[in-house]
């Protein structure tokens, strides 16, 4: 039906940059919002950034000024540009989509995640 596929994770040194991508595919009728969450070992999954269909953005306080969420509506793709990365940013990053699938009701979907490791 609908699949979310993340890419772009990897190993980067502190202060470096990385760009994550998430492509949503399937019979999508409308995207209400897309966003990024992350989960570090031993911790709960937390919100990183979201972007609504109307263009409104929200960021966790810990990433404001360093991360930027953007989208390509034609490709149903959301990006997360991560700059000035810190070791505490190390986590598995998950793509999330709040969307309506053709012939069904509004629903919430998750990708499998991509590992981001910030270490010297």
């Amino acid at each position: 039906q609908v699949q979310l596929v993340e890419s772009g994770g990897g190993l980067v040194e502190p202060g470096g940059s990385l760009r994550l991508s998430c492509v949503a595919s399937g019979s999508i009728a409308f995207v209400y919002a897309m966003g990024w969450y992350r989960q570090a070992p031993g911790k709960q999954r937390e919100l990183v950034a979201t972007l609504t269909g109307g263009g409104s953005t929200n960021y966790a306080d810990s990433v404001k000024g360093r991360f930027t969420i953007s989208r390509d509506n034609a490709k149903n793709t959301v990006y997360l540009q991560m700059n000035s990365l810190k070791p505490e940013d190390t986590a598995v990053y998950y793509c999330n989509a709040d969307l309506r699938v053709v012939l069904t009701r509004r629903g919430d979907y998750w990708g499998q995640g991509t590992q981001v490791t910030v270490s010297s």
Side-chain angles (χ1 to χ4, degrees), residues 45-56:
R45 187 173 299 185
E46 64 176 349
L47 183 148
V48 177
T50 59
L51 178 63
T52 69
S56 179

Side-chain angles (χ1 to χ4, degrees), residues 2 5 7 10 18 26 37 51 55-57 64 71 74 78 89 101 104 113:
V2 173
V5 180
S7 63
L18 214 56
Y37 292 71
L51 178 63
S56 179
T57 60
K64 286 182 178 178
R71 68 190 176 196
V78 64
D89 294 318
V101 179
T104 69

Side-chain angles (χ1 to χ4, degrees), residues 40-94:
K43 300 186 67 177
Q44 293 281 354
R45 187 173 299 185
E46 64 176 349
L47 183 148
V48 177
T50 59
L51 178 63
T52 69
S56 179
T57 60
N58 287 293
Y59 295 93
D61 289 340
S62 60
V63 307
K64 286 182 178 178
R66 300 189 297 119
F67 291 10
T68 302
I69 188 170
S70 61
R71 68 190 176 196
D72 183 335
N73 291 331
K75 297 181 178 180
N76 288 323
T77 300
V78 64
Y79 305 94
L80 184 67
Q81 179 66 47
M82 304 184 293
N83 298 324
S84 301
L85 283 162
K86 305 174 181 179
E88 48 263 46
D89 294 318
T90 296
V92 176
Y93 284 71
Y94 296 91

